[in-house]
Amino acid sequence: MLEPLLAGTHISLEKHSKARNKGVATAPRATGTALLVVPALSTALLQAAKGRRCDNCHRLELGNVRLRKCTGCASYWYCGRECQSLQWKAHHKRICKQYPRYTASAEYQGLSSHDQVDAVLLSHLLAEAFPDGLYTLAAGKGGLLDIFLDLLSGPATHPSSLPVSLGQQVTDPTLVTAARELYARFGNNNFVVHSHLDSYAHGVFPLASRLFNHSCVPNAVTRYIITPSEAVRMEVIALRDIAEGEEVTIPYLDPALPVETRQQALRLNYGFTCTCLSCRVAQRMQPTPPPHRGSTELDELEDQLRRYVLDIVGTVVGLRDDPGLLESMPESLAPVLYESYLPELSETFSKASHDGPHAEALSIGLTLLALYALVYPPNYPQIGMHALELAKTAWNATVTDSELMAPSALEEAAKAYLSIAAHVLNIYGGEGDEGGPLAEISVLRRML
Ligand SMILES: C[S@@+](CC[C@H](N)C(=O)[O-])C[C@H]1O[C@@H](n2cnc3c(N)ncnc32)[C@H](O)[C@@H]1O
């Protein structure tokens, strides 16, 4: 079933001791390579994106792109006739009438916002999978529905938690069974779709779900490509060189979350205990709370962290090219892995970079960069996004806060952060809408 879809991908499906199967590279793959490119089988926009993006191809209403509302339900928006017609045939003609009533129902309103999007996604999928309302899989989807139904089901989905679906009135018992089978695979297989790393939809990508297991130190990540009148495309990008025979892994959640949060979410939503390097190190360290902000002890700890992870020469900062940093980190640094430390650092940086003082933003931001470079694998996009924020903060300081340090030193710092951002984000490449971080880097480069 999978072979034709894997042709030309350099990925094969192998046995895995705990996870049934794994996707393995059949040839060496270089950093930044797209290891898999697959269109979405089905998607549903988050509520915040409804009316702002085309429901079919996800383009934003911007410039020449104007969205038109479906006159039937007044709840789906399209950037043109082609998208409207494609989605009408795919599922909307079986959903349009019931949608307003369904989304106003107590049943739907009682769901969390995450489950509401999944309920609509299930409706799309069900309408596509069983177009006649009969329990016979639709043909012509390249076997993707079969692959979806062949996925492992998640532990969290209780059969009674099936959200009533609108495609067909789901009363036919065989169809209810089918809906349950589809829905049981949602929680641990579906993806959150993003543009510039900002979530805007949920999506079903069966082949990627079938192939890739989780690691908190993954060697690949997903990005999403929006093309007018086409289904959004997922690309799985190598974060580093991957050897022949090596398993390709992606993160199912943010690897910077505290280890206990990750472990619990992976157990509850995906049904496995993560034993990756990052989890093993964090569990071995048993982090205690760090000293309070403002104390000499915290200053010393943060200084040690920055010196351990970064190359700092004057105001010029670089990332150390050493993938073993996490594994061999000294025990004295353990408090930086404490659960509240990163969120507190990130919040303080955000506040200071917006409201000042810039000196505090630059100092905290540098510590946060060191922490990101420790807990994320090399070239992880969030490292680049944060380096870009730091470059903008240093640039703003040259304009608004010339007392802080010599403008030339601030410019030098901004250039160094920008070069980290460019390096990391060029590996990730552009995703989603036009503009975004790569465009911001070009603008800032011209100004510096
Ligand atoms: C998206 S699927 C991945 C593909 C799956 N291995 C298969 O053979 O179909 C997600 C499921 O794979 C398993 N899995 C993924 N990553 C794992 C890991 N690091 N350790 C153990 N099981 C894992 C869990 O059962 C999880 O619910």
Side-chain angles (χ1 to χ4, degrees):
M1 179 161 61
L2 284 180
E3 281 70 30
L5 296 168
L6 290 178
T9 62
H10 301 293
I11 306 263
S12 69
L13 194 69
E14 309 283 338
K15 290 233 169 314
H16 186 284
S17 58
K18 294 193 199 121
R20 181 172 68 164
N21 289 128
K22 59 184 177 181
V24 167
T26 55
R29 309 303 283 147
T31 308
T33 307
L35 303 164
L36 184 76
V37 179
V38 277
L41 175 61
S42 206
T43 56
L45 293 179
L46 301 188
Q47 197 51 46
K50 289 291 278 180
R52 296 188 59 232
R53 292 183 179 276
C54 172
D55 271 277
N56 188 55
C57 73
H58 298 177
R59 275 204 289 175
L60 271 177
E61 180 166 63
L62 203 68
N64 293 334
V65 182
R66 288 264 163 270
L67 299 184
R68 295 268 188 83
K69 213 182 327 190
C70 167
T71 49
C73 62
S75 304
Y76 280 67
W77 281 261
Y78 299 103
C79 64
R81 275 185 192 288
E82 199 177 349
C83 276
Q84 181 167 25
S85 156
L86 284 168
Q87 191 152 90
W88 181 257
K89 286 184 204 139
H91 55 70
H92 196 59
K93 68 179 168 197
R94 287 176 291 280
I95 287 173
C96 187
K97 273 207 185 81
Q98 293 102 317
Y99 188 89
R101 203 172 339 120
Y102 173 59
T103 49
S105 69
E107 204 142 16
Y108 176 86
Q109 292 296 328
L111 298 172
S112 69
S113 49
H114 183 279
D115 287 347
Q116 286 180 345
V117 183
D118 272 358
V120 174
L121 184 58
L122 177 65
S123 307
H124 293 175
L125 202 56
L126 203 59
E128 284 208 54
F130 308 106
D132 310 323
L134 298 172
Y135 190 27
T136 339
L137 272 187
K141 280 281 169 192
L144 292 177
L145 285 164
D146 293 315
I147 294 174
F148 191 76
L149 285 168
D150 185 40
L151 294 171
L152 300 168
S153 40
T157 315
H158 188 269
S160 66
S161 67
L162 170 70
V164 170
S165 188
L166 33 129
Q168 296 89 0
Q169 288 306 314
V170 186
T171 47
D172 174 352
T174 51
L175 207 55
V176 171
T177 309
R180 289 218 164 106
E181 283 186 17
L182 288 171
Y183 189 58
R185 285 157 179 86
F186 267 36
N188 67 328
N189 288 294
N190 288 353
F191 290 84
V192 174
V193 182
H194 36 77
S195 164
H196 310 156
L197 299 171
D198 208 7
S199 317
Y200 73 82
H202 291 183
V204 178
F205 298 85
L207 189 56
S209 297
R210 187 70 184 84
L211 287 173
F212 302 122
N213 290 321
H214 162 87
S215 170
C216 306
V217 268
N219 52 17
V221 280
T222 55
R223 72 172 182 215
Y224 297 91
I225 307 297
I226 295 174
T227 311
S229 307
E230 287 182 17
V232 68
R233 199 164 77 233
M234 171 198 280
E235 298 188 346
V236 178
I237 305 298
L239 285 177
R240 57 168 172 78
D241 291 353
I242 297 177
E244 182 179 335
E246 201 179 333
E247 179 180 4
V248 176
T249 53
I250 58 172
Y252 291 0
L253 40 65
D254 183 351
L257 286 169
V259 64
E260 286 314 326
T261 312
R262 298 200 307 263
Q263 290 273 325
Q264 200 185 18
L266 291 169
R267 260 197 307 269
L268 279 178
N269 303 327
Y270 298 88
F272 70 91
T273 302
C274 187
T275 53
C276 76
L277 175 72
S278 175
C279 286
R280 291 199 312 272
V281 169
Q283 284 168 331
R284 188 184 73 216
M285 291 276 167
Q286 300 202 323
T288 49
H292 66 86
R293 188 148 301 284
S295 65
T296 319
E297 290 81 357
L298 185 66
D299 289 348
E300 283 169 3
L301 178 71
E302 294 187 331
D303 187 50
Q304 190 196 355
L305 170 66
R306 294 192 294 252
R307 279 186 289 107
Y308 179 63
V309 180
L310 305 173
D311 281 325
I312 306 178
V313 182
T315 52
V316 176
V317 175
L319 300 179
R320 276 184 55 199
D321 187 15
D322 177 356
L325 283 176
L326 186 65
E327 196 167 10
S328 39
M329 75 181 260
E331 300 229 341
S332 52
L333 278 179
V336 305
L337 300 181
Y338 188 71
E339 57 185 4
S340 60
Y341 178 66
L342 192 150
E344 183 260 332
L345 205 58
S346 162
E347 203 177 304
T348 316
F349 170 70
S350 252
K351 201 167 170 306
S353 66
H354 283 119
D355 311 336
H358 282 122
E360 183 180 349
L362 287 172
S363 155
I364 300 260
L366 183 60
T367 310
L368 187 57
L369 181 68
L371 188 56
Y372 278 170
L374 182 68
V375 296
Y376 284 127
N379 305 322
Y380 201 77
Q382 268 73 5
I383 300 174
M385 295 295 267
H386 179 62
L388 177 57
E389 281 309 304
L390 267 171
K392 288 195 263 182
T393 307
W395 162 253
N396 285 342
T398 62
V399 182
T400 59
D401 212 348
S402 51
E403 311 284 284
L404 183 62
M405 58 169 103
S408 58
L410 279 170
E411 264 184 42
E412 239 178 30
K415 278 185 190 157
Y417 292 134
L418 207 54
S419 110
I420 295 174
H423 173 77
V424 172
L425 294 172
N426 273 317
I427 289 170
Y428 185 58
E431 82 153 359
D433 306 305
E434 283 173 21
L438 289 177
E440 285 183 39
I441 289 172
S442 308
V443 171
L444 208 51
R445 273 216 164 121
R446 280 198 296 275
M447 294 192 321
L448 279 164

